[in-house]
Amino acid sequence: MALALARKYRPKTFADVAVQSHVATTLKGAIARGRVAHGYLLCGPRGVGKTTLARVLAMALNCERRQDAARRLAELDKARGGRAGAGSDAEYERLAREAGEPCGECASCQRIWAGSSSLDVVEIDAASNRGVDDARELRERAMYAPSGDDQYKVYIVDEAHMLTREAWNALLKILEEPPPRVVFVFATTEPQKIAQAAAPVLSRLQRFDFKRIGPADIRQRLERVLAEEGVTADPDALAMIARAADGSMRDALSLTDQVLSMGDGAILPAQVRDALGLVPEDEFLAMLDLLAERRAGDVFAFVARLADAGVDFGQFLTGFADMVRALLAVALSGTPPEVSERAREALIARREAFAASDLLRMLQAITELEPRFRKSPQQQLLLEALLVRFALLDRTVSLEAVLRGLGGGGGGGGGGGGASEEPAPRRAAPAPAAPARLADAPVGARPAVVRDADRIVKAPAPAASAAPALAGAPPDVTRVTERWDELATALRAAGKSLAATALEHAAPVAITARGDVTIALDEANPIFEQALETVKGELALLLGQWFAGVQRVTVRAAQGGATPPARLTDEMVRTERLSALRRRDPVLGAAIDALDLDLAD
């Protein structure tokens, strides 16, 4: 039976390990200089060489030829220290190389590389040997000396994050004071779990973080392997395998094996698509054309055709996201990453089909959907809804357009500009006035200060046409109370969170004919009273924009002898704000309890 490519071409030396040179060079130097640590922690994604490097380390420590070279190098160093010119430079460099690398050919190297039984090298799968009894057995075995005077006992523990807290505690002492010539190597994809279960262990190990292997490095490795196998491959086919491998060299070799099993001859893109079940690039390009032409009704037939063809919707969504990302790079005059030459030319031809802001919104929507998409039993429905939303992107109005409309005095909620900040040639008519990126409420009912991303945009005062039901209306307690929440929201958006919280615990109690608005707290709280005193002028200004005749705001101390808190903490403010939200909206209160929601800063 033929050996799998992932096993057949597993590296035998540090120099053969792809990409992880920062780890391989350090370990090689430690071996050559006799500075090997007693414990290592190798972290990184799956299939990037953690277990392979652990085996190469074990091979090097027990390689007979390497040990001979190390002894000869030590003798040469000693001789050079005594007299100059001892030994040639070429011989010295050769011995220096051999002193840190396993030969890969001696009996010891062959056994370790193949994973066969060895007295001095033990591999343990922590996923099935994770308990405290297994750890105690490992500790007892480690107390026995290696089989030879120059040998090392190496324990390779894979999936180390699966060990229990009790198992780590059982190993803690031997990791701190190990027997002579005993080395522990722990490999894990989730080092954070080890930090949570056994933080003291980390300080007793040397940690190395492995990199994900990029598509270009995977392609180069596949080219060398296929050249050894005598197989030719189309560059686009290798690029497809590299993308499907998702940073794992082991997965790339396994996928190549899978493609080769389809038949003899050269590896072609169509063969890779058939073997791996990939979606053709033409499907993604056809979907982009459909969305660019705003044919939302055709989305359902398109997705139904994918379903009839047995396409995995999760795979389609991932591939479509990659294509949108590549189109965004083209739209921004960049180089599209990791796509075929044919797809690159097609994307360049579609450069003007979408505004860059639209492509960004599409990528953000896909990113938000993906976590629940994988687990949903209604993937087709979610995909159809997402694509229809993309086809209707020109029906939305940007926040900047709404604010420009307000500033013009006659905006009234339209933002008569386009749907995007950037004009696009495909927009033949003005977008309908539906502020979809704000709330569904009329523009006139929105706060005077709107938080947009990471900056605060201060909207101009609403014109009379923006709120016809309130503009110019005389102030009374009922009407002012109706807009009380907006008043608190405006203060919070302006960065006055304490005053906004205090306002949520207050209410208007009287309005005089001269336009004096009196507000009172629901309970005595000097801190809240002081906070409201500092914003009286701003409150009067905002209320004056909404109601004719408001001149001044007065804060009245609450009645009662409630003991105020000596010091108001951030947690108290957050709690008070949540309580106010619960009182104002019972549905929102139920959602807070059901989903364990919290306030964002």
Side-chain angles (χ1 to χ4, degrees), residues 497-506 521-535 555 564-565 568 572-573 576-577:
S497 297
L498 180 58
T501 303
L503 199 66
E504 291 170 346
H505 286 266
L521 288 163
D522 53 15
E523 62 180 15
N525 190 320
I527 297 177
F528 280 175
E529 291 174 14
Q530 183 178 1
L532 291 176
E533 287 286 348
T534 61
V535 295
V555 179
L568 191 66
M572 292 167 61
V573 172
E576 293 289 351
R577 288 172 60 187

Side-chain angles (χ1 to χ4, degrees), residues 101-310:
E101 289 276 18
C103 68
E105 299 174 358
C106 65
S108 174
C109 287
Q110 289 290 347
R111 283 197 304 271
I112 298 171
W113 183 77
S116 305
S117 59
S118 174
L119 291 175
D120 296 320
V121 179
V122 180
E123 290 194 35
I124 300 170
D125 180 17
S128 54
N129 301 274
R130 61 194 302 265
V132 64
D133 292 335
D134 300 305
R136 286 170 180 162
E137 181 183 353
L138 173 60
R139 183 181 61 189
E140 291 170 3
R141 291 171 62 179
M143 299 305 295
Y144 292 98
S147 60
D149 293 338
D150 294 329
Q151 303 297 103
Y152 278 80
K153 297 197 76 168
V154 182
Y155 293 92
I156 301 173
V157 182
D158 205 4
E159 303 295 336
H161 59 274
M162 298 294 289
L163 290 175
T164 63
R165 184 187 303 272
E166 293 74 18
W168 282 115
N169 290 337
L171 292 174
L172 190 57
K173 186 64 176 176
I174 197 171
L175 289 177
E176 186 171 7
E177 298 177 4
R181 291 181 288 121
V182 172
V183 177
F184 292 91
V185 184
F186 299 94
T188 179
T189 57
E190 302 182 58
Q192 71 277 5
K193 289 188 176 180
I194 299 178
Q196 293 168 2
V201 169
L202 299 180
S203 63
R204 291 162 172 83
L205 303 173
Q206 287 190 14
R207 173 171 172 168
F208 292 95
D209 289 287
F210 285 60
K211 305 173 184 176
R212 288 181 75 257
I213 303 177
D217 293 306
I218 291 178
R219 285 202 309 271
Q220 292 176 6
R221 179 66 173 168
L222 292 181
E223 288 172 356
R224 291 197 296 269
V225 167
L226 292 174
E228 290 283 338
E229 293 290 310
V231 177
T232 58
D234 185 277
D236 287 343
L238 293 183
M240 293 166 65
I241 295 175
R243 288 197 299 272
D246 193 25
S248 170
M249 186 66 74
R250 182 177 62 234
D251 285 2
L253 292 170
S254 298
L255 293 174
T256 304
D257 249 336
Q258 186 175 334
V259 173
L260 289 174
S261 65
M262 294 277 294
D264 299 328
I267 298 179
L268 300 174
Q271 186 179 353
V272 174
R273 277 195 296 268
D274 293 341
L276 306 185
L278 302 180
V279 182
E281 290 178 333
D282 290 341
E283 298 288 0
F284 301 131
L285 295 173
M287 176 52 68
L288 287 175
D289 291 339
L290 187 151
L291 299 180
E293 295 166 9
R294 306 302 173 193
R295 292 187 284 125
D298 294 341
V299 165
F300 301 98
F302 187 97
V303 176
R305 182 166 58 80
L306 293 179
D308 292 340

Side-chain angles (χ1 to χ4, degrees), residues 485 578-595 597:
D485 290 343
L578 277 174
S579 299
L581 288 174
R582 291 175 190 274
R583 290 195 300 271
R584 184 168 50 193
D585 191 339
V587 176
L588 180 58
I592 291 172
D593 294 333
L595 302 177
L597 300 178

Side-chain angles (χ1 to χ4, degrees), residues 295-565:
R295 292 187 284 125
D298 294 341
V299 165
F300 301 98
F302 187 97
V303 176
R305 182 166 58 80
L306 293 179
D308 292 340
V311 170
D312 179 81
F313 289 129
Q315 202 171 67
F316 177 83
L317 187 63
T318 301
F320 184 67
D322 291 339
M323 194 63 70
V324 173
R325 173 172 168 257
L327 182 56
L328 177 61
V330 171
L332 297 175
S333 302
T335 302
E338 300 302 328
V339 294
S340 66
E341 187 60 35
R342 179 173 170 275
R344 182 178 292 106
E345 294 174 358
L347 293 175
I348 292 174
R350 292 164 173 78
R351 181 190 306 228
E352 303 297 330
F354 294 90
S357 57
D358 286 346
L359 295 173
L360 278 173
R361 274 189 278 169
M362 291 164 68
L363 286 174
Q364 182 179 6
I366 294 174
T367 303
E368 293 173 352
L369 176 65
E370 270 190 318
R372 60 190 177 95
F373 185 86
R374 303 290 178 182
K375 303 175 184 178
S376 174
Q378 298 289 339
Q379 290 188 346
Q380 181 171 347
L381 180 61
L382 290 176
L383 181 61
E384 288 170 346
L386 181 73
L387 295 176
V388 168
R389 178 182 171 189
F390 291 166
L392 299 176
L393 275 178
D394 60 346
R395 305 283 178 90
T396 63
V397 178
S398 71
L399 179 62
E400 288 78 2
V402 173
L403 294 179
R404 283 199 300 270
L406 288 175
S420 175
E421 301 85 343
E422 305 175 22
R426 56 181 171 80
R427 307 266 167 90
R437 293 207 293 165
L438 299 174
D440 292 331
V443 173
R446 305 302 299 153
V449 181
V450 182
R451 183 174 295 276
D452 177 21
D454 293 326
R455 67 186 191 276
I456 294 178
V457 182
K458 294 190 176 180
S465 58
L470 296 174
D476 62 53
V477 172
T478 302
R479 290 185 177 181
V480 172
T481 302
E482 288 175 354
R483 305 202 68 176
W484 203 249
D485 290 343
E486 296 179 38
L487 204 59
T489 302
L491 286 179
R492 183 165 287 110
K496 301 181 183 300
S497 297
L498 180 58
T501 303
L503 199 66
E504 291 170 346
H505 286 266
V509 293
I511 300 178
T512 67
R514 293 182 303 175
D516 294 344
V517 179
T518 302
I519 62 178
L521 288 163
D522 53 15
E523 62 180 15
N525 190 320
I527 297 177
F528 280 175
E529 291 174 14
Q530 183 178 1
L532 291 176
E533 287 286 348
T534 61
V535 295
K536 289 192 303 183
E538 296 175 29
L539 293 176
L541 180 62
L542 283 171
L543 290 173
Q545 294 174 352
W546 297 341
F547 302 99
V550 173
Q551 300 294 329
R552 186 174 59 178
V553 170
T554 304
V555 179
R556 190 174 73 188
Q559 301 298 320
T563 304

